[in-house]
Amino acid sequence: MPARHPTTDPGGRRFAPIAMTDQNLLDPGFELTLRPMRYPDFYERYRDAIKNTWTVEEVDLHSDVADLAKLTPGEQHLIGRLVAFFATGDSIVANNLVLTLYKHINSPEARLYLSRQLFEEAVHVQFYLTLLDTYLPDPEDRAAAFAAVENIPSIREKAEFCFKWMDSVEKLDRLESRADRRRFLLNLVCFAACIEGLFFYGAFAYVYWFRSRGLLHGLATGTNWVFRDETMHMSFAFDVVDTVRKEEPDLFDDELREQVTDMLREAVEAELQFARDLCGDGLPGMNTDSMRQYLECVADQRLTRLGFAPVHGSENPFSFMELQGVQELTNFFERRPSAYQVAVEGTVDLDEDF
Ligand SMILES: [Fe+2]
Ligand SMILES: [Fe+2]
């Protein structure tokens, strides 16, 4: 038998799990035993993520400043709103990681991955902080961007969507009942499929639209690495969902399917409201209609990955996003000849990238 730490604290709270063979991933506790390893795939995801280390200092934003001056007023409005969303998006995800995912996914292998993900979210926050400091030299503009979650309705609506699904699990200390586990699953799916997998993908599409026109290469470079990280965060979360489905298939009933489908519809609407704000009456190659089509296509991919039926039937209208997965990996190889190892095979599914 592997060594165990005490099973209760003085207050009677159980930290260690019940016997290993009876344990499921969502059973309450803080399992410590790594050998024998119950979830080696999560450990491999942690190792793969380490190979993807990058730093904000590697991103050169200088040419972006000259590009910003060339933008039309409509494009400047779009980029201003976009960076305002970036100012808080990853912090919300990091908070949920600590407050919910780390607490309830009871596997030391998975918690290794989540620790690494938390570091990556911190790098993302630092990247966007640096971006805003560079793009917005005026302190008042900067302060307004960081307060966007309070002051700009289209960003506030997205934040409220996130907070709603955080609040729904806030009081859950332990996932005792079936209802508790469903609530947790909805939070997990919300953050992976709707926030990292839809809100962020929408934001990346604007960045790559600029890049396809030869603009804002610094932002695009950092976005390449954030994009890859987010893809892996989402894949990890979906692996957790798959594991729970295997261990507790009765949780995945019609009611859950309906809840997840409704959640994704709501996320598409929130992101569309943001698109209306960003695009106004439309910009060349970017408008609300094409963004709707893109978001619906992405939402269908998320539903399919989760084992549920797609609902929109939309095609991806953005050719610059179809190329994204390949370009990002190519660029990474070109820039990293020897200093870093790169995890590619088995970690990034290019079919799911846009
Ligand atoms: Fe992030
Ligand atoms: Fe993330």
Side-chain angles (χ1 to χ4, degrees), residues 174-223:
R174 297 161 58 83
L175 305 183
E176 299 285 9
S177 67
R178 194 165 177 264
D180 294 344
R181 289 168 193 229
R182 294 173 64 100
R183 278 160 71 191
F184 171 79
L185 276 176
L186 287 169
N187 173 284
L188 177 69
V189 167
C190 174
F191 274 77
C194 299
I195 300 171
E196 294 179 309
L198 191 94
F199 289 173
F200 288 0
Y201 272 61
F204 299 153
Y206 296 109
V207 173
Y208 291 127
W209 170 67
F210 279 111
R211 186 183 65 176
S212 72
R213 298 161 56 225
L215 295 166
L216 306 178
H217 277 285
L219 173 57
T221 301
T223 300

Side-chain angles (χ1 to χ4, degrees), residues 90 93 120-121 124 128 196 200 226 229-230 233:
D90 288 83
V93 171
E120 290 173 357
E121 301 300 359
H124 301 175
Y128 294 123
E196 294 179 309
F200 288 0
V226 174
D229 292 344
E230 297 303 349
H233 300 168

Side-chain angles (χ1 to χ4, degrees), residues 118-133:
L118 188 62
F119 164 73
E120 290 173 357
E121 301 300 359
V123 174
H124 301 175
V125 171
Q126 183 199 353
F127 173 58
Y128 294 123
L129 172 65
T130 309
L131 186 80
L132 265 76
D133 285 352

Side-chain angles (χ1 to χ4, degrees), residues 13-15 25-31 94-108 110-111 114-115 166-175 184 187:
R13 179 185 166 123
R14 193 181 71 200
F15 285 100
L25 189 58
L26 297 189
D27 284 343
F30 287 87
E31 174 62 53
N95 290 347
N96 192 63
L97 260 180
V98 174
L99 296 173
T100 307
L101 305 191
Y102 195 96
K103 190 157 82 175
H104 295 304
I105 300 175
N106 188 14
S107 137
R111 287 185 172 118
L114 292 169
S115 304
M166 285 175 81
D167 291 348
S168 69
V169 291
E170 193 195 351
K171 300 271 181 332
L172 281 180
D173 271 336
R174 297 161 58 83
L175 305 183
F184 171 79
N187 173 284

Side-chain angles (χ1 to χ4, degrees), residues 147-163:
V149 74
E150 299 295 331
N151 302 330
I152 298 175
S154 64
I155 293 178
R156 189 185 174 85
E157 186 176 323
K158 290 206 286 182
E160 278 174 355
F161 174 83
C162 305
F163 296 148

